[in-house]
Amino acid sequence: SGYNADGDAGGGIFTAIAGDTTTLDNGGSVIVDGASQRWYRQTNGASYCAAWFGAVGNGVADDTAALNRALAACRLESVE
């Protein structure tokens, strides 16, 4: 699985955190589903990857929004 296509490094394993009703969906490491459950990406200590947030990296697609989401998530992670 992937974010934009199978095998694009955007997929991953997520775990729902019961009781979390406030964390915002950041499009990569925290996903909020239609039932308002918060799903957290299991990173096992790995560095964040822009592909998790939808970056394509092909030199054609505009990855600005995906890179901004990834950077914002990294900033939040370093503060918490």
Side-chain angles (χ1 to χ4, degrees):
S1 68
Y3 191 100
N4 294 299
D6 284 346
D8 69 1
I13 298 171
F14 291 79
T15 302
I17 304 299
D20 181 357
T21 60
T22 60
T23 303
L24 299 177
D25 187 324
N26 65 17
S29 61
V30 179
I31 306 298
V32 180
D33 68 16
S36 296
Q37 290 182 320
R38 271 66 180 168
W39 293 85
Y40 286 75
R41 180 182 294 276
Q42 301 305 295
T43 65
N44 298 321
S47 299
Y48 278 31
C49 174
W52 296 351
F53 298 84
V56 178
N58 63 3
V60 176
D62 182 355
D63 291 331
T64 304
L67 293 171
N68 285 334
R69 287 191 300 271
L71 289 170
C74 289
R75 282 193 295 271
L76 282 176
E77 188 73 23
S78 68
V79 171
E80 294 173 351

